[in-house]
Amino acid sequence: MTEDKKKFMREAIRLSIENIDNGGGPFGAVIVKDGTIISRGTNRVTIDNDPTAHAEIIAIRDASRFLGTFDLSGCEIYASCEPCPMCLGAIYWARLDKIYFANTKADAADIEFGDSFIYNEIEKPYKKRTIETVQLLQEDAKLAFNKWKDKEDKVKY
């Protein structure tokens, strides 16, 4: 592991520790492009009353604004903890090249930040999930998908 990579991870860890004193959860993340930190994020769920305000999501949003693109190819993320299912999905959608993490999801579960129930729910057919999930008006909704499919000047992502 190079010293730069350790430096970036130490910054994510520093953010996670500092964030506790600022009223947030113990999570931090940085996004790096070409050897430079371009964004930082901390867990702001309870601060902002936003369940999606995880450190990785905040860092992705800031990096996208900074670079002026939703495609973060060429970037790496350093997270103080293994990303949860939501953050992992966002990382893939953002097309980050690499994920580095420090604490594991088992470590997070040990301090009552477990997310294994979400992984389990994702695997279930939607009719067997804990939150009742009902499909409605699929044919009506397909109008938007067909319009998108036929749009010649769409920006693919």
Side-chain angles (χ1 to χ4, degrees):
M1 188 64 54
T2 69
E3 285 306 311
D4 278 348
K5 292 183 185 329
K6 290 179 184 177
K7 176 180 76 172
F8 300 141
M9 183 57 75
R10 285 188 182 107
E11 177 63 4
I13 294 167
R14 184 193 68 75
L15 290 168
S16 72
I17 295 167
E18 179 181 273
N19 199 50
I20 297 167
D21 295 332
N22 294 332
F27 303 96
V30 299
I31 295 182
V32 174
K33 183 172 179 67
D34 299 326
T36 301
I37 294 175
I38 62 166
S39 71
R40 290 170 171 78
T42 56
N43 180 286
R44 299 189 51 84
V45 171
T46 57
I47 296 168
D48 295 346
N49 291 317
D50 178 354
T52 69
H54 290 200
E56 297 92 333
I57 301 294
I58 300 296
I60 288 169
R61 289 174 182 163
D62 287 348
S64 294
R65 276 191 291 272
F66 177 78
L67 295 175
T69 180
F70 58 84
D71 184 344
L72 299 181
S73 297
C75 297
E76 301 174 336
I77 190 164
Y78 293 77
S80 65
C81 187
E82 185 175 0
C84 75
M86 176 183 67
C87 293
L88 187 59
I91 289 165
Y92 275 91
W93 278 113
R95 297 184 182 98
L96 289 155
D97 288 355
K98 194 174 256 189
I99 304 166
Y100 295 93
F101 67 91
N103 289 318
T104 67
K105 60 186 173 183
D107 296 328
D110 286 345
I111 60 165
E112 300 180 357
F113 281 97
D115 55 15
S116 62
F117 75 97
I118 298 173
Y119 283 107
N120 293 336
E121 286 289 306
I122 290 169
E123 293 297 317
K124 293 179 185 177
Y126 71 85
K127 291 185 178 187
K128 293 188 177 188
R129 293 182 181 157
T130 304
I131 297 175
E132 185 176 0
T133 306
V134 181
Q135 183 178 22
L136 293 174
L137 302 175
Q138 181 183 20
E139 289 304 314
D140 292 358
K142 281 188 178 181
L143 292 172
F145 280 14
N146 289 334
K147 185 174 181 176
W148 176 257
K149 184 174 71 173
D150 295 338
K151 184 174 172 59
E152 292 184 19
D153 63 342
K154 63 186 161 219
V155 176
K156 292 184 180 183
Y157 61 94

